[in-house]
């Protein structure tokens, strides 16, 4: 196939990457430190026919660039990049492979697995050292030239201390929603509908954290099993919202932007779960879809002693090279795009340790983290790290710099252990205070600890109290996938049961863990559906289940409705009492001027906990005295004193409520009485013992 030289082609600009429309034509700019030439390939509206191939005429600062006249938004295109095919040197250029522009704002069509997608000949005895000459254009999505956006969608910037995260999936949350028309279920437009947003807002959360929505690939081994990468942690288009979640496949970008606007109008932030640690191109045996064919040696971390092979700190085959300046620039450009042009309020970074791993290991002053801290846009967003990966020194909880928050798996594990009787008060105490043992350094705040009981990866809350073991048969991996460390309990019967005593314990344990979550310092994160007892039938790794296993079932039981009401109550209480969500870490110091201690640990006798009691206590209390508030706080309820009691012991405990100068305590929460309604009267008297039910949480308060 030959193409004539394009008329009126100009050198264009290397400054703004990707395809930029200016009203008269389109400027293309593609970074590659090692390529010899870049062709822009234009396609017919159906994406099937390559109509033109234009070589970018200039190369400045390792950027190929050119301006092509008379191109308009909606035009389909792809890239072909020329250069050496030398896998042993880290180079995998193959101009027979059509490539996705990393900066493309949207994609047309979906990837179809075919041997032509691979830069080498599948089945060849030399494996990836061989070279494949087949054209892959018929099997890969096409990029779409987009019009510039207005950039007028501003983040809400909800204070961290007021933030409650709600992790959910665009499709799974609305796919079975009874109040939505069928054509909107499972889409961005569906999530933007009034019944959906009203439900989330009423619940009391402030920020919706979406599982990955950037364009991703369904792994071939899943497609072969008639499964899919439901969670979406296999990104290939870091500027493009995935089309499969769009009701209008012709314009997913506008639909996503409208969803963000609708969330903001409802007072809800949008946080994106993003996957910049790896791409969908896999290792040396993976396909050539974008970065691998544009500049493999720059975009990926390669083994220093044999650059044919990839460093695999992600477990997915490759690791994005965030020690490379241009790779850092690419990620920062992508993040700014989603914030400035799409309006999102922040990001949760999958396997975040990789973002800060320099050649010598994890570094809180790594280049990418420095970029985020100094960038005027990124520095004002919510940045949340998943602070671990499988690489050397991969576990880094508490070690990210100030301004970052982090998922705190130690909160999850300790709370689960405490309520099933495998952890004592001494282990739980720091988790209730925002984990100062992990985060109280370098000027960090208590909100840096993102507390959670469950997340997309693992059991749901209801399954934590229903199953001892994972039940992942539907995944087709013989039960070998998913963690065996579930820290769960079935309380006597594996799976559903009609035993009323076991059922009652399970629902109370759900309330206990939710109460622990929302009454602790730090930033709480709730997994969507946990508020009403959603189940995945014991599947703790439903990443490939795009079906009723993962989709929320809105046919909620009466017990589920009661749990949802209880969840709403907890979030209202958290909002009502500022001492439950302090910005700074609470201390046990004594304030002589006010004659108060900010926090006091008490045992069941109503007295301050003694050192020797910590080693055996399963029932204990925490007094939070709001009178010791920082100067300047005038919020209603800020001076209240709260008493939190937690009893993981299976039997009742007589708890002596501390004496506060003839004042009585008012009961707010008793997980043994989930429908208890607060009365404007004291429910206890001086020296009265309150009977604390086995496995329960209580909250009392005093108005000063």
């Amino acid at each position: 196939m030959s193409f004539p030289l394009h008329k009126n082609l100009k050198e264009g600009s290397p400054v703004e990457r990707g395809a930029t429309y200016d009203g008269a034509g389109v400027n293309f700019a593609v970074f590659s430190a090692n390529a010899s030439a870049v062709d822009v390939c234009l396609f017919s509206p159906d994406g099937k026919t390559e109509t033109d191939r234009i070589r970018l005429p200039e190369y400045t600062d390792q950027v190929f660039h050119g301006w092509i006249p008379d191109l308009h938004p909606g035009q389909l295109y792809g890239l072909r990049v020329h250069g050496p095919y030398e896998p042993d040197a880290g180079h995998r250029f193959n101009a027979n492979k059509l490539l996705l522009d990393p900066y493309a704002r949207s994609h047309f069509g979906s990837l179809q697995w075919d041997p032509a997608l691979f830069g080498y000949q599948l089945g060849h005895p030399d494996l990836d050292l061989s070279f494949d000459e087949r054209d892959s254009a018929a099997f890969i999505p096409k990029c779409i030239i987009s019009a510039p956006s207005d950039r007028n969608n501003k983040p809400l910037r909800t204070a961290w201390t007021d933030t409650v995260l709600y992790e959910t999936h665009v499709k799974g949350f609305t796919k079975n929603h009874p109040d939505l028309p069928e054509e909107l279920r499972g889409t961005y437009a569906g999530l933007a509908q009034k019944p959906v947003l009203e439900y989330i807002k009423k619940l009391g959360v402030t920020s919706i954290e979406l599982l990955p929505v950037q364009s991703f690939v369904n792994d071939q081994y899943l497609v072969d099993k008639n499964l899919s990468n439901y969670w979406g942690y296999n990104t290939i288009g870091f500027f493009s919202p995935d089309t499969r979640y769009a009701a209008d496949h012709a314009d997913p970008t506008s639909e996503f932007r409208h969803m963000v606007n609708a969330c903001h109008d409802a007072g809800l932030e949008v946080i994106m779960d993003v996957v910049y640690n790896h791409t969908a191109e896999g290792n040396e045996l993976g396909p050539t879809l974008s970065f691998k064919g544009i500049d493999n040696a720059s975009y990926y971390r390669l083994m220093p002693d044999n650059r044919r092979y990839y460093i695999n700190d992600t477990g997915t085959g490759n690791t994005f090279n965030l020690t490379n300046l241009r790779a850092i620039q690419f990620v920062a450009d992508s993040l700014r795009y989603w914030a400035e042009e799409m309006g999102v309020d922040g990001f949760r970074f999958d396997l975040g340790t990789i973002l800060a791993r320099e050649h010598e290991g994890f570094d809180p002053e790594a280049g990418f983290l420095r970029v985020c801290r100094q960038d005027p846009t990124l520095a004002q967003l919510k940045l949340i790290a998943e602070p671990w990966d499988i690489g050397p020194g991969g576990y880094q909880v508490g070690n990210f710099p100030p301004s970052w928050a982090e998922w705190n798996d130690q909160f999850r594990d300790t709370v689960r252990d405490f309520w099933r009787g495998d952890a004592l008060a001494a282990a739980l105490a720091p988790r209730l205070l925002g984990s100062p043992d992990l985060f109280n350094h370098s000027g960090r705040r208590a909100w840096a600890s993102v507390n959670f009981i469950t997340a997309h990866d693992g059991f749901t809350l209801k399954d934590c109290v229903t199953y001892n073991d994972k039940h992942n048969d539907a995944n087709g991996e013989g039960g070998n996938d998913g963690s065996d460390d579930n820290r769960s309990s079935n309380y006597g019967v594996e799976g559903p049961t009609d035993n009323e005593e076991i059922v009652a314990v399970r629902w109370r344990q759900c309330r206990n863990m939710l109460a622990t979550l929302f009454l602790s310092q730090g930033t709480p994160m709730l997994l969507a559906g946990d508020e009403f007892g959603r189940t995945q039938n014991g599947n703790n790794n439903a990443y490939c289940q795009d079906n009723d296993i993962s989709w929320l079932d809105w046919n909620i039981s009466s017990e589920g409705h009661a749990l949802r009401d209880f969840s709403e109550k907890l979030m209202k209480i958290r909002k009502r009492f500022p001492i439950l969500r302090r910005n700074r870490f609470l201390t046990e110091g004594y304030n002589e001027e006010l004659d108060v201690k900010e926090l006091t640990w008490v045992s069941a006798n109503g007295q301050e906990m003694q050192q020797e009691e910590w080693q055996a206590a399963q029932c204990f209390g925490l007094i939070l005295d709001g009178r010791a508030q920082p100067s300047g706080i005038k919020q209603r309820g800020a001076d209240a004193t709260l008493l939190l009691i937690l009893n993981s012991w299976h039997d009742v405990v007589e708890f002596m409520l501390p004496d506060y100068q003839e004042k009585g305590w008012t009961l707010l929460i008793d997980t043994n009485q989930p429908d208890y309604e607060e009365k404007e009267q004291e429910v206890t008297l001086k020296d009265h013992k309150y009977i604390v039910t086995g496995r329960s949480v209580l909250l009392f308060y005093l108005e000063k």
Side-chain angles (χ1 to χ4, degrees):
M1 182 182 298
S2 62
F3 298 94
L5 182 66
H6 199 281
K7 295 181 179 180
N8 301 320
L9 178 66
K10 296 181 180 179
E11 66 178 38
S13 169
V15 175
E16 189 169 356
R17 308 291 182 271
T20 307
Y21 176 67
D22 64 6
V26 175
N27 187 85
F28 291 88
V30 180
F31 159 74
S32 181
N34 297 291
S36 59
V38 174
D39 296 335
V40 173
C41 304
L42 306 180
F43 284 83
S44 59
D46 61 6
K48 294 181 179 180
T49 304
E50 185 176 350
T51 60
D52 210 348
R53 188 177 298 185
I54 305 114
R55 179 151 300 181
L56 297 179
E58 287 293 336
Y59 186 58
T60 305
D61 195 18
Q62 299 183 327
V63 176
F64 293 88
H65 55 96
W67 182 86
I68 304 174
D70 302 324
L71 292 185
H72 302 281
Q75 172 67 54
L76 305 185
Y77 76 99
L79 305 175
R80 297 186 190 273
V81 180
H82 302 262
Y85 188 81
E86 300 172 355
D88 285 335
H91 303 313
R92 296 179 178 272
F93 297 101
N94 187 337
N96 298 294
K97 310 305 169 185
L98 188 74
L99 305 175
L100 293 167
D101 181 356
Y103 280 81
R105 270 42 173 180
S106 57
H107 293 168
F108 175 85
S110 58
L111 183 138
Q112 305 297 317
W113 285 104
D114 187 88
L117 293 172
F118 296 80
Y120 65 98
Q121 299 175 34
L122 290 180
H124 193 283
D126 291 333
L127 299 175
D128 59 302
L129 297 179
S130 63
F131 186 80
D132 188 86
E133 297 182 352
R134 284 171 289 191
D135 191 334
S136 66
F139 310 103
I140 194 166
K142 309 303 180 294
C143 303
I144 306 175
I145 294 175
S146 301
S149 68
D150 295 332
R151 301 194 180 200
N152 60 359
N153 196 344
K154 303 297 183 183
L156 290 184
R157 293 178 184 159
T158 300
W160 267 113
T161 51
D162 298 333
T163 298
V164 177
L165 299 167
Y166 191 62
E167 190 193 37
T168 193
H169 188 285
V170 168
K171 182 174 184 179
F173 193 74
T174 62
K175 185 61 178 176
N176 288 326
H177 202 292
D179 297 329
L180 296 182
E182 183 66 34
E183 65 272 15
L184 296 185
R185 295 181 184 182
T187 67
Y188 305 124
L191 191 61
Q193 297 304 299
K194 186 175 180 180
V196 175
L197 296 180
E198 284 183 344
Y199 171 88
I200 297 173
K201 186 68 175 179
K202 182 175 183 293
L203 190 59
V205 301
T206 67
S207 310
I208 304 171
E209 183 175 308
L210 298 176
L211 266 68
V213 295
Q214 295 169 323
S215 292
F216 63 92
V217 172
N218 277 327
D219 313 67
Q220 185 172 16
Y221 80 95
L222 291 175
V223 173
D224 291 343
K225 294 193 295 183
N226 293 319
L227 297 171
S228 66
N229 191 322
Y230 172 70
W231 288 347
Y233 290 94
N234 202 28
T235 310
I236 196 61
F238 292 89
F239 284 75
S240 169
D242 199 285
T243 306
R244 73 197 79 191
Y245 301 143
D248 179 7
H249 286 184
D251 194 3
T253 300
S254 294
E255 187 174 327
F256 184 92
R257 191 179 290 119
H258 171 76
M259 178 198 72
V260 175
N261 284 331
C263 290
H264 285 179
D265 289 344
L268 295 166
E269 293 183 311
V270 176
I271 310 294
M272 284 175 54
D273 194 336
V274 288
V275 192
Y276 294 103
N277 58 76
H278 77 280
T279 78
E281 292 186 296
N283 62 14
E284 67 277 1
L285 300 181
T288 297
L289 308 176
S290 182
F291 305 91
K292 185 179 290 186
I294 292 173
D295 194 347
N296 185 68
S298 292
Y299 279 118
Y300 293 115
R301 297 193 68 186
L302 306 178
M303 298 296 292
D305 56 344
N306 189 342
R307 294 175 64 78
R308 173 184 176 186
Y309 299 106
Y310 295 75
I311 292 174
N312 185 19
D313 291 339
T314 65
T316 63
N318 66 55
T319 303
F320 208 66
N321 185 16
L322 282 170
T323 65
N324 180 284
L325 176 62
R326 292 300 193 183
I328 292 176
Q329 182 183 34
F330 166 76
V331 174
D333 287 347
S334 172
L335 294 172
R336 278 192 297 270
Y337 169 76
W338 289 99
E340 294 174 350
E341 299 195 31
M342 304 294 262
V344 303
D345 302 89
F347 305 93
R348 179 265 187 189
F349 294 87
D350 181 62
L351 301 184
T353 298
I354 286 168
L355 308 178
R357 181 178 280 113
E358 298 291 328
H359 294 296
E360 64 278 6
F362 177 85
D363 184 355
E365 293 295 324
F368 174 73
L369 299 185
R370 287 188 175 192
V371 165
C372 291
R373 293 180 70 183
Q374 63 80 40
D375 186 280
T377 295
L378 303 184
Q380 299 184 60
L381 303 176
K382 286 187 166 71
L383 304 178
I384 306 169
E386 181 185 38
W388 52 77
D389 63 24
I390 66 170
Y395 188 77
Q396 294 293 335
V397 173
N399 292 331
F400 275 70
S403 77
W404 281 73
E406 302 173 38
W407 275 25
N408 185 356
D409 64 331
Q410 294 193 34
F411 182 94
R412 174 199 64 197
D413 293 348
T414 304
V415 171
R416 289 192 188 187
D417 282 347
F418 180 80
W419 286 113
R420 66 177 186 157
D422 287 345
L424 300 175
L428 185 62
R431 307 299 155 240
L432 299 175
L433 301 180
S435 297
D437 55 324
L438 301 173
F439 295 97
N440 191 9
H441 62 83
S442 307
R444 302 191 75 180
R445 298 294 190 172
W447 54 256
S449 175
V450 175
N451 301 330
F452 64 104
I453 309 295
T454 60
H456 65 276
D457 188 0
F459 278 154
T460 66
L461 179 64
K462 187 66 188 307
D463 287 353
C464 277
V465 299
T466 307
Y467 298 93
N468 280 347
D469 305 304
K470 63 188 180 185
H471 296 268
N472 297 355
D473 293 345
N475 295 356
E477 299 182 36
N480 294 317
D481 66 301
S483 175
D484 292 316
D485 184 20
N486 295 298
R487 299 170 190 255
S488 61
S489 176
N490 63 24
Y491 299 98
V493 175
E494 184 76 353
T497 180
D498 294 327
N499 185 305
E500 294 183 1
E501 183 176 346
I502 292 176
V503 169
V505 169
R506 287 175 174 177
W507 285 109
R508 188 161 72 250
Q509 289 287 56
C510 286
R511 294 191 292 272
N512 289 335
M513 287 190 275
L514 288 172
T516 308
L517 175 65
F518 288 107
L519 301 179
S520 294
Q521 304 294 315
T523 302
M525 184 184 79
L526 179 68
L527 175 64
D530 275 356
E531 71 272 15
F532 57 75
R534 168 181 166 254
T535 179
Q536 291 181 167
N537 302 316
N539 192 319
N540 75 349
N541 189 35
Y543 77 103
C544 56
Q545 299 298 329
D546 188 2
N547 50 48
D548 285 332
I549 292 176
S550 295
W551 303 340
L552 270 65
D553 182 359
W554 292 97
N555 294 312
I556 304 171
S557 67
S558 58
E559 295 90 348
H561 280 290
L563 186 64
R564 185 182 62 191
D565 292 343
F566 183 74
S567 300
E568 291 180 13
K569 182 177 182 180
L570 287 170
M571 283 181 257
K572 288 179 180 177
I573 288 173
R574 182 179 180 85
K575 184 176 182 180
R576 174 181 173 186
F577 296 107
I579 198 170
L580 292 173
R581 45 188 173 85
R582 282 280 175 85
N583 184 35
R584 62 178 177 82
F585 289 94
L586 302 177
T587 69
E588 298 184 55
Y590 181 72
N591 188 318
E592 293 185 0
E593 181 181 352
L594 297 174
D595 190 30
V596 297
K597 289 182 67 175
E598 190 168 51
L599 69 89
T600 304
W601 302 101
V602 293
S603 58
N605 62 14
Q607 302 300 309
E608 188 166 353
M609 289 270 285
Q610 300 302 305
Q611 189 63 39
E612 60 273 12
E613 293 180 287
W614 284 105
Q615 306 311 312
Q618 289 181 274
C619 180
F620 68 108
L622 170 61
I623 298 174
L624 300 173
D625 199 323
R627 291 177 298 168
Q629 60 187 301
S631 60
I633 290 184
K634 302 297 182 183
Q635 294 171 277
R636 182 177 179 272
D639 62 346
T641 296
L642 303 179
L643 169 61
L644 176 65
I645 298 174
L646 305 100
N647 178 22
S648 66
W649 181 241
H650 66 271
D651 209 346
V652 298
V653 174
E654 291 186 344
F655 204 103
M656 179 72 75
L657 302 182
D659 183 1
Y660 266 73
Q661 301 176 351
E662 308 298 330
K663 291 183 178 291
W665 293 94
T666 298
L667 180 66
L668 294 174
I669 292 289
D670 183 345
T671 55
N672 190 48
Q673 306 176 64
D675 54 353
Y676 174 85
E677 294 185 7
E678 177 191 345
K679 306 297 182 182
E680 292 302 324
Q681 61 185 17
E682 297 174 353
V683 298
T684 63
L685 300 174
K686 180 183 177 183
D687 297 330
H688 184 70
K689 291 183 178 179
Y690 193 91
I691 304 301
V692 178
T693 308
R695 298 187 178 115
S696 61
V697 176
L698 296 92
L699 183 68
F700 298 86
Y701 86 104
L702 286 172
E703 286 282 0
K704 294 294 184 182

